[in-house]
Amino acid sequence: ANTTELVFIPQGIVMMFYGTLSFGLSIYIMATLFWDIGSGYNEYNKTENLVKIVRKGFPGRNREILLTYPLSNIRSIGIKITEGLNPTRSIYLCLKDERKIPLTPVQEPTSISNLEEEAASLAKFLDLKLENL
């Protein structure tokens, strides 16, 4: 092997690059926690036939995210359960145009019986069918 063709990069420069990158990533994660990005609530209004999903975004002009769907545009309530190394248990609002909007917050997975009970009561309240995704 010919070692004269190897490019020398000082170790300090490489470590400074990784340190700067990790510092920037940590600032982003801390800001996300401080500003409570992604928190919000779901509102199911049968008198107005609307489902409103409100979430917080990053500070600025469009900080509050508001999604509004008429009940006539909703096909069903879906449940997705995946097990393994990264288990997820989520409830989705399935629209007629094949979009799936998550309704459950990102957290440690709840028990399957609680998830099914919550999804069944929501589907019964909105008069929709319940499906497995």
Side-chain angles (χ1 to χ4, degrees):
N2 188 3
T3 58
T4 59
E5 295 178 7
L6 289 177
V7 177
F8 176 72
I9 299 175
Q11 184 178 3
I13 292 175
V14 173
M15 294 303 289
M16 190 172 66
F17 169 74
Y18 283 125
T20 306
L21 187 68
S22 64
F23 184 68
L25 185 63
S26 68
I27 287 176
Y28 171 76
I29 291 172
M30 292 303 290
T32 303
L33 291 173
F34 178 73
W35 288 320
D36 204 14
I37 306 297
S39 67
Y41 62 92
N42 305 327
E43 181 182 325
Y44 310 102
N45 193 337
K46 287 183 78 171
T47 57
E48 295 179 7
N49 287 329
L50 290 176
V51 173
K52 294 180 184 177
I53 301 170
V54 180
R55 298 287 184 265
K56 284 185 185 176
F58 283 99
R61 189 175 48 163
N62 299 325
R63 173 141 168 87
E64 192 166 289
I65 300 165
L66 173 64
L67 303 172
T68 305
Y69 301 104
L71 285 177
S72 60
N73 196 21
I74 300 171
R75 185 184 72 220
S76 64
I77 301 294
I79 298 177
K80 184 175 182 182
I81 300 172
T82 57
E83 297 297 331
L85 191 59
N86 188 17
T88 59
R89 297 174 184 155
S90 302
I91 299 174
Y92 289 90
L93 191 68
C94 301
L95 303 178
K96 289 184 178 176
D97 58 357
E98 300 301 319
R99 288 186 291 170
K100 294 172 180 59
I101 290 91
L103 298 177
T104 52
V106 176
Q107 62 186 11
E108 195 164 314
T110 60
S111 68
I112 295 175
S113 60
N114 287 347
L115 185 78
E116 288 176 345
E117 184 179 313
E118 185 180 336
S121 65
L122 180 61
K124 184 177 181 182
F125 175 73
L126 295 176
D127 294 326
L128 297 170
K129 66 179 182 173
L130 188 62
E131 67 181 26
N132 189 13
L133 299 177

